[in-house]
Amino acid sequence: MDRMRQNFIFGYGSLICPLSRAVTAPSLANCLAEPCEVEGIERTWSARVHRAKRDKDSHIRGWTPMGVRGRKGAFSNGVLICVDEEELKRFDVREGGYRRSKIKLSNIYPHFEASEMEEGSGAVVAMEIDRPSEVHHKLDHVKCPKCRQLFEAADRMRRRASSDDTEVNEADSGPGDELAVWCYFQEQSIPADRSFPITQSYIDIILRGCLSISKNFARVGLSQLQL
C-alpha cells in the first residue's frame, strides 16, 4: 500500500546539512531531520563523481564523495528525513550514481547525546547506543512525531525478535508496510586517489550539518568513517 506509506531517507553525508537538503527540496527548508544511528552500515570514501568537463592540463578527473557499505557490527550516525513521493523523486535525481535501497527498520536507533567529560576540556564521551530493552521509554527528546513513530515501531520489532529468538520478517510485520527508510548506496566502490580526491568543500558541508546537531555528533561521525 505505497499510497499510505511514509517514506524516510537516511542521510549520512551532505544530506545531514539542512542547507544542502533544501537545495534539492526547498519544501524541506523548515522541516526537522531527526538524528539517528543505523546498525549494519559503514561510511566510506568510496563513491566516484566524474567532472563534466576535464581540463586537459589537470590530472583531476573528478572527486570522491562519501558512500556506505553493509558491514555486520558497524554503526553509522546520520539523520532521518521525512519525505513525500515528490521529494523522494528529487533526491533520486540528485543522487545520480547511487541506488536507493530500503534498510531494515529494526536496525534504526534514536540518537542519544552523551555528556561532555569536563566543560572546556574538549574530551567527549562516545555516543551510547541504547539497546532494544532500553529505547522504549527514552524518546522524549525526539522532536519529529513521525520519526518517533518509526523508533517505536523499530523497538517493537527488536523486542519481538528477541522474545521469539528469531529474526522478524519485516515485510510481514505491519509497520514495515507503512514506514520505509531508504538509503543511497553508491553504484561503484572505488577509494579516493590523486585523480579523484576528497574535496574540502564537501567535508565542510558534512561537518556543518553534524555540528548543527552537536560537537559530539560530529566527533562520533568522524570516528565511524572508514577509508
Side-chain angles (χ1 to χ4, degrees), residues 111-180:
H111 166 72
F112 292 96
E113 193 62 43
S115 59
E116 294 189 357
M117 293 175 66
E118 279 185 37
E119 186 176 354
S121 69
V124 180
V125 180
M127 184 191 303
E128 295 181 0
I129 306 304
D130 283 16
R131 293 307 169 193
S133 62
E134 302 170 345
V135 171
H136 187 67
H137 300 295
K138 294 188 176 182
L139 295 177
D140 291 344
H141 67 291
V142 176
K143 298 178 181 178
C144 169
K146 291 180 179 178
C147 296
R148 183 188 180 97
Q149 178 187 3
L150 186 151
F151 291 140
E152 290 173 343
D155 186 44
R156 286 195 298 271
M157 287 181 176
R158 290 190 292 267
R159 288 170 179 269
R160 176 179 163 189
S162 178
S163 62
D164 294 344
D165 199 27
T166 57
E167 185 173 353
V168 175
N169 183 351
E170 298 191 10
D172 301 326
S173 58
D177 296 332
E178 303 168 5
L179 303 169

Side-chain angles (χ1 to χ4, degrees), residues 206-218:
I206 297 172
L207 286 177
R208 188 177 300 123
C210 290
L211 290 170
S212 71
I213 297 170
S214 73
K215 290 181 180 179
N216 188 59
F217 188 89

